[in-house]
Amino acid sequence: MDSMMSGLVAGALSGYFEVFFKNFKKEDFKLNLSGSETSTTLHNLEIREDVVQEALGMPNFGVQRVFIDKLALKLKPTQLKSSPMRIEIDTVDVVLSEPWDKLPPLPKVIEKFMQDHLPDKGKPGSYGFVEQMIDGLRIDVRQVKVSVDTVGKYKVAEKGAWTPPKAELLVKNIALYTTNSRWEVVDLKKAREFNDNRPEIYVFKELTVGSINATIADGDKNVPILVNTKAVARLTIVKALDNQIKGISVNAELPELTATLVFESMGSLAAVSEGIAACMSRPDTPKPAPVECPHLTMITTISVPALKVQLLEKEGGDGVQVDGEDLEFCIAWPQNFPVNEKTISLYAGKLFVREFSAVNGPSEHPLLGPSPQDRGKDPFKVIPPLPKSLHPEYQSLAKEPALYYMKGLIRAPPEPPKFDQELQAVLNPLEIVVRPESVVTLMKLAHAVLPHAKAIAERRGIKPPGDLSNVMVCDPKEPYEQLISLKMEFSRISLIVPAPIGAAYNDLSINLTDGKLMSHPNIPKNNIWRQGICGSPEFPNSATDVSSTRESLLEGAAQLTKYKITSKVEIAMKTVPDAPAQPILTIPKVNVDLTAVIGKDENGKGHILLNEGSMHVKEIGGRLTQVQYKTMVKRLDELIPLIPMIITLSQSTTNVEVPKSNLLFFVKIDQGECSLCNDYRELEEKGDSGEDIEMLARMKFTGLQLCFENMEPRKLAKVALDKLEITAVRDGETKSALYNPNAFISCGSESDPLLLLRVEHCGVDAPLGEDGKAVPLNLEHRNRLALRINGFRCGANPNPAAKICYFFLDTERNFNDLLRTAKRTKTVLQDVDFKKVGALAKSRLEAMDLRPPDVDIDVVIDDTKIHLLRDYVPGEPHGNIAFQFKKLKVDRSADAPDTTHVTVDVEDLALLCNKEAEDGVTAAFTFDPLSFHMRTDRHINPSTGKWEVSTKGNMNQLNVDVNPQHNDVFLTVIHGVKKKNLQKIFDGLSKFMERKPGDDDVGISLSLTDGGTTGSTSGGGGTSAGADALRQELRKLSTAIGRAEEDVVAARTEKQRLTTSLQQIEQETGKSNVLATATRAGNLSVLLPNQTWGKRFFVLSGNELSQFEDQTAAKLVAKITVAKDTRLEVVNNVPNCFQISNEHRFIIAAGNDKNMSGWTNELLRVQAGKGASCTLERVHAQVARAKQAIESLANASDLGDRAALIARIRELEQTVAERDAKIKALSK
């Protein structure tokens, strides 16, 4: 019985082995019976290359060798229905290489085998003993070695630097076995019980892999990509009852995918990837032949529950880490699909990018990742999921809304006019977080990656030597060449800049919400190009602009690749974690259209004729408060180190040939309104209203258009603006017939735009040659500037202007803070070769031609008035000073290659003093309206070869009339300037330039020089000259200090006078007017002695914090003197609560975060010695000490000796430097 069964098995297997092994001999295949087990061993088997190539389905790769050194077959003849037959293989060697000659069609060995073994139509087959035995087969392989070798972009036999490196794959401990439907290893009879009473036959098999190792052999180095990665795959095979296979699904899982790459290895990985891409895009790839056998449903799914990829600066160094959860890729070939069409899906549950430190590991704060608060919507409710398995009980790994899900259809190759890809995608809330602590790390990594990025770009550009005209060049299809149908929805993409760790909570964010990204060749044309400056040229020579002639390019294009983006844009700030963000700038909807106009060369290769983009915004609005502005300045200071990082990255393309493409971009904003406001009013203006917002200024505009063109070598920019209004927002109504005193700019009309500007640069140099000789002008290519301004109205009122200036000066960052940031940046970049960077910048500057360009100018400014004015106060004199002209015209052009002219025409220039009284407005001209004409001609003198200039002009009669009315109006305007507003400007400047305690590491160092020479000085003349110069500078400084001392003495006298007057008033009335000198006041909640909360009115005046019963400040409850030893602490168990204690203790609840910050910051400022009460005395002491030091130094008799000593010290320093240089040279 055993021998008969062994013979039956040997006969069945021989048919399969004859197809797959080319050196298999049927007569040598015998099974040896030993006890209850039958076995045989085959050696040195070669699998047929055409079978493997057909199984891979890729004619681009030639299978050079598939070798099995040892194959053992073991089975139990009497237990074949319950115990699997086993095949054990020691080593499989697979060599894949790209063929040099033309690619043949795919073989059809397997297809013919299936046709021979499948039942004929109308004749039912059977799922018998042999089929069950094959389905229950178990295969164990000790290791599989795969080598992949590609040719690269250029198909030449000679190998060199242009040839991609070889990729090698080593897979160990492979086991393929049959399981039940729950993937459990059981008796084969139990495994088949799942098929009872089912219309199909299901075969479940599991494949386990002990380890996967992938390396790249690049020259003499091996670059590891994957190291000891485990894998498991579950196969579901569906058959009809006649044994015809209906479908196969493979669900592979990499339980933990971990990889570590260094910057140096990225070049090898990029070269291998580009080599495979070039191989797969060969132009001689044969068209897939129709599948003659029954078409199976094929599904392959690869899932990664946990991903960790590290990209490091060097082995054991810092870098970035990418962490992923629940990643899944699926590709399916349904039974009814054409041979070149497949469906795909990509699922990403979570994805994070973090900083990685060699010391501390990955950061807990991701740079990129899903929103922790809002996970978004279920993507499967938007896009129906793709079936990922044929298992009837399959369950997906998805447990919560994914960060990203994409589903689509791909065709390779597509048959026009069908698409290459048809995709749908959903992106749930994504956050990009740039923390101040991360900036320095990113900057260092950018500098470290720079040389490797350059190396990749240079390697990509290497070509084989010799004539390449007859060489096959395989360029992968560029993304812009593909026909794509795309529809992606994203709920929110946020760029967040938070406060430093440990600081008060504050997030500044840029948010794109409720957005869509679409791509389709049939996206409707954007009519925005037919409007405004792009649709109706307004300037001479603009008829040839691309914005006016683009239609012809679009009509002649071989292909249009279009993208459309719509989204809401918002810049916002959040100061409390759970509170909603406060918007700074809001765009309800922005429409962005991007189009690549593609042309084709004679070989059918696509190239970009024009990159075109447009952005249309119907409305934009914003409001910037003082707190928001201060926070933005902080973020700017913290992000300063990003600047050198960006510059460093921009150098990665130096000396790399980059194809240039034409660019056209247009922006149109229909209308906008933005306001500027303080978070709280000045104390004297606040009163009892409780208002916490003071509007300072508002800007409104309509019809803003920007257009930029880059058509080498010409660059062009155009700007248009219909109306503009910038107005200070003031209390009360202005009832005046004069120009609005609150309006800084108020201009534009219904018919004509306010501004039209066109600047064109053609790369034409200034007409100047060697030795100052003139160069003839280029009349064909001219740089041009054209400007039109119509109806411009401007007003300068110092009072609101002072408040607005103080708004921007009042920040928590000053000049020394910026210097400290720069110093920290330099410290972090201590390993950067700044000499090399400086030399590169110097060479670029030397290569630039910094002479003024040769430009034609056409400027016309009509109906312009500029006013100097004052606030409108009922009952007081009112007037303004107006500077105006009817027309200003400037024209510069070239008449001939050796001649240019410049003309200036002014019509009705006038200066008026307007005075308003009860009977109306009277205007007085300072001089009669003046008109004049001036012309300057330049031409090349033939005898000298240099440019010569002549000027002539004329004007009408000038009549000057200055009378008392002019003086009256002038004084009215000047007296309207409030002193306190100007004082705010000076205070803001002083605060910005303030030097704080502890700033000794940042300062300005003075170096004494002897007339600019360095090194030693000979004789006494140099020393005497240095001493005299030093004395002269010291005398100047002493004079300035003297004036400062006089000002301080005067201020002390005035302060003493006011203090005396105030004390007299207090004695007479019995009341203390602390509100007059208060720096902050307001109602706060305080913990009373009975342990209940009550309202009290607090006033901070000088260095005293007083508590009153009400806002009249009549009855004092308690008072604390703020000194150095005063304790100021935050109360953690009560929101926005702090306590201050000295002779008394106040526990105060501020009510909100803004109020809390305001009070604590002011108390700390007073405690640090920066309060108003001690500033004057401190300044006086500092001035006195400075004056004494300078006078003693200037009058010193040994000043000449000191200058000589300085010169001697420099000489010694030079000697030491020369000695060190010699020692360094000898050590080498």
Side-chain angles (χ1 to χ4, degrees), residues 823-1122:
K823 185 174 181 179
R824 289 197 305 270
T825 303
K826 181 180 178 181
T827 302
V828 172
L829 291 177
Q830 56 187 354
D831 298 331
V832 177
D833 188 355
F834 281 100
K835 291 183 178 179
K836 185 176 180 181
V837 175
L840 177 61
K842 181 181 177 182
S843 63
R844 290 181 174 178
L845 284 174
E846 291 175 347
M848 293 173 60
D849 190 347
L850 299 180
R851 295 172 295 176
D854 180 25
V855 56
D856 290 346
I857 299 175
D858 178 14
V859 175
V860 179
I861 303 177
D862 290 321
D863 189 18
T864 295
K865 294 182 181 180
I866 301 174
H867 302 83
L868 177 64
L869 35 81
R870 59 163 290 175
D871 291 339
Y872 175 79
V873 179
E876 293 187 7
H878 189 214
N880 64 35
I881 302 170
F883 173 80
Q884 64 186 39
F885 56 84
K886 183 178 180 181
K887 181 185 285 284
L888 168 64
K889 184 175 182 181
V890 181
D891 177 72
R892 182 191 187 275
S893 60
D895 303 321
D898 59 351
T899 305
T900 66
H901 76 269
V902 179
T903 61
V904 178
D905 292 283
V906 178
E907 294 183 21
D908 295 340
L909 175 66
L911 181 65
L912 287 83
C913 291
N914 300 309
K915 184 177 181 180
E916 186 176 28
E918 294 181 358
D919 55 349
V921 176
T922 57
F925 285 93
T926 305
F927 53 84
D928 292 340
L930 176 66
S931 300
F932 64 86
H933 167 82
M934 185 177 67
R935 178 184 176 96
T936 299
D937 292 297
R938 302 173 72 244
H939 67 278
I940 299 177
N941 188 325
S943 60
T944 63
K946 295 185 178 181
W947 288 98
E948 293 186 352
V949 180
S950 62
T951 302
K952 59 183 179 180
N954 58 78
M955 70 171 67
N956 62 349
Q957 186 175 1
L958 177 61
N959 296 317
V960 180
D961 179 18
V962 179
N963 55 52
Q965 180 177 338
H966 300 107
N967 184 56
D968 188 20
V969 173
F970 181 78
L971 292 177
T972 297
V973 173
I974 297 301
H975 288 169
V977 179
K978 295 180 181 179
K979 182 179 177 181
K980 68 173 184 178
N981 290 330
L982 297 181
Q983 186 63 44
K984 291 173 71 71
I985 299 295
F986 296 136
D987 292 344
L989 287 172
S990 299
K991 184 178 179 181
F992 182 75
M993 300 301 296
E994 183 179 14
R995 182 175 173 83
K996 301 178 181 178
D999 283 350
D1000 294 336
D1001 58 331
V1002 179
I1004 302 174
S1005 60
L1006 296 176
S1007 56
L1008 304 178
T1009 63
D1010 50 351
T1013 60
T1014 58
S1016 62
T1017 60
S1018 59
T1023 302
S1024 177
D1028 291 342
L1030 183 58
R1031 284 194 178 95
Q1032 185 178 0
E1033 293 301 322
L1034 289 174
R1035 280 195 294 270
K1036 293 180 181 178
L1037 186 57
S1038 178
T1039 302
I1041 291 294
R1043 287 196 297 265
E1045 184 182 32
E1046 293 174 359
D1047 294 339
V1048 171
V1049 171
R1052 294 181 67 190
T1053 303
E1054 180 66 13
K1055 177 177 179 292
Q1056 183 62 36
R1057 185 185 67 79
L1058 293 174
T1059 303
T1060 303
S1061 300
L1062 182 61
Q1063 290 175 352
Q1064 292 176 354
I1065 294 174
E1066 292 176 355
Q1067 291 174 0
E1068 294 175 359
T1069 61
K1071 296 181 180 180
S1072 174
N1073 188 15
V1074 294
L1075 293 177
T1077 59
T1079 56
R1080 191 172 183 89
N1083 289 313
L1084 297 173
S1085 296
V1086 64
L1087 189 63
L1088 302 176
N1090 60 0
Q1091 298 302 307
T1092 61
W1093 293 94
K1095 286 286 185 180
R1096 290 289 187 267
F1097 187 70
F1098 283 82
V1099 177
L1100 180 61
S1101 176
N1103 62 342
E1104 293 183 346
L1105 179 64
S1106 303
Q1107 182 185 157
F1108 297 94
E1109 285 191 350
D1110 52 39
Q1111 293 182 353
T1112 62
K1115 187 174 181 180
L1116 179 67
V1117 178
K1119 180 172 63 175
I1120 285 180
T1121 301
V1122 181

Side-chain angles (χ1 to χ4, degrees), residues 383-553:
I383 306 173
L386 180 70
K388 299 180 179 63
S389 175
L390 297 177
H391 196 302
E393 299 175 357
Y394 175 80
Q395 292 183 353
S396 177
L397 55 80
K399 298 179 181 179
E400 58 182 4
L403 172 65
Y404 181 74
Y405 177 69
M406 181 193 71
K407 174 185 172 184
L409 175 71
I410 58 173
R411 297 182 177 91
E415 298 179 0
K418 292 186 177 181
F419 294 98
D420 293 75
Q421 302 175 20
E422 298 180 24
L423 306 174
Q424 288 180 279
V426 172
L427 176 64
N428 273 321
L430 176 70
E431 293 184 355
I432 305 167
V433 184
V434 182
R435 296 183 176 275
E437 297 85 358
S438 306
V439 172
V440 174
T441 303
L442 296 176
M443 182 175 54
K444 291 182 64 177
L445 293 177
H447 183 267
V449 80
L450 175 63
H452 304 292
K454 285 185 176 181
I456 293 175
E458 291 170 357
R459 183 172 187 172
R460 187 182 292 118
I462 297 177
K463 298 180 181 180
D467 183 15
L468 301 178
S469 58
N470 296 322
V471 174
M472 183 190 300
V473 180
C474 300
D475 274 336
K477 205 171 186 180
E478 299 290 347
Y480 58 78
E481 294 183 78
Q482 298 184 359
L483 280 174
I484 298 178
S485 173
L486 170 65
K487 183 179 180 181
M488 185 180 82
E489 299 180 8
F490 57 89
S491 53
R492 177 169 59 86
I493 301 176
S494 298
L495 173 62
I496 302 175
V497 184
I501 298 174
Y505 182 89
N506 202 308
D507 280 358
L508 179 66
S509 62
I510 302 175
N511 306 295
L512 305 180
T513 57
D514 300 329
K516 293 182 179 180
L517 169 62
M518 295 170 285
S519 177
H520 197 284
N522 296 329
I523 290 178
K525 291 184 178 180
N526 193 343
N527 293 325
I528 190 175
W529 293 100
R530 300 178 181 178
Q531 305 171 11
I533 55 178
C534 294
S536 54
E538 295 288 342
F539 294 106
N541 305 305
S542 62
T544 59
D545 293 351
V546 181
S547 57
S548 303
T549 61
R550 54 181 288 278
E551 289 292 340
S552 60
L553 278 174

Side-chain angles (χ1 to χ4, degrees), residues 1133-1205:
N1133 58 350
V1134 180
N1136 299 310
C1137 183
F1138 67 94
Q1139 70 172 351
I1140 180 170
S1141 57
N1142 198 343
E1143 62 268 30
H1144 298 286
R1145 184 178 70 162
F1146 296 163
I1147 300 178
I1148 301 171
N1152 55 61
D1153 182 72
K1154 181 177 64 178
N1155 215 14
M1156 171 87 167
S1157 300
W1159 277 98
T1160 54
N1161 288 342
E1162 190 67 26
L1163 288 168
L1164 289 172
R1165 191 172 72 87
V1166 172
Q1167 189 181 33
K1170 299 190 176 91
S1173 62
C1174 57
T1175 300
L1176 190 59
E1177 298 301 327
R1178 188 178 72 252
V1179 170
H1180 181 264
Q1182 291 174 347
V1183 169
R1185 288 196 298 270
K1187 182 180 180 182
Q1188 181 181 2
I1190 291 172
E1191 289 177 351
S1192 62
L1193 181 60
N1195 297 326
S1197 60
D1198 60 345
L1199 190 57
D1201 296 336
R1202 296 185 185 186
L1205 179 60

Side-chain angles (χ1 to χ4, degrees), residues 671-778:
Q671 62 180 0
E673 180 176 341
C674 302
S675 59
L676 200 69
C677 54
N678 282 325
D679 292 274
Y680 57 88
R681 292 179 176 272
E682 295 293 334
L683 183 64
E684 61 270 22
E685 297 179 3
K686 183 173 181 179
D688 299 334
S689 62
E691 296 178 355
D692 58 356
I693 292 293
E694 178 191 16
M695 303 295 292
L696 290 181
R698 180 183 294 113
M699 179 182 71
K700 295 182 180 180
F701 65 88
T702 58
L704 176 61
Q705 302 175 67
L706 307 170
C707 183
F708 175 76
E709 298 179 11
N710 183 10
M711 304 288 287
E712 290 294 338
R714 189 183 78 159
K715 295 178 176 64
L716 173 68
K718 294 192 288 189
V719 181
L721 179 62
D722 290 345
K723 291 183 179 181
L724 175 63
E725 179 181 325
I726 302 177
T727 308
V729 181
R730 311 293 300 280
D731 290 334
E733 184 179 358
T734 300
K735 298 179 180 180
S736 173
L738 294 175
Y739 183 79
N740 184 358
N742 298 329
F744 295 108
I745 296 176
S746 179
C747 45
S749 64
E750 297 295 335
S751 57
D752 298 320
L754 166 66
L755 171 70
L756 293 172
L757 173 66
R758 182 180 184 274
V759 181
E760 179 182 354
H761 183 262
C762 296
V764 181
D765 296 330
L768 187 65
E770 298 179 359
D771 301 327
K773 294 296 181 73
V775 176
L777 302 177
N778 187 334

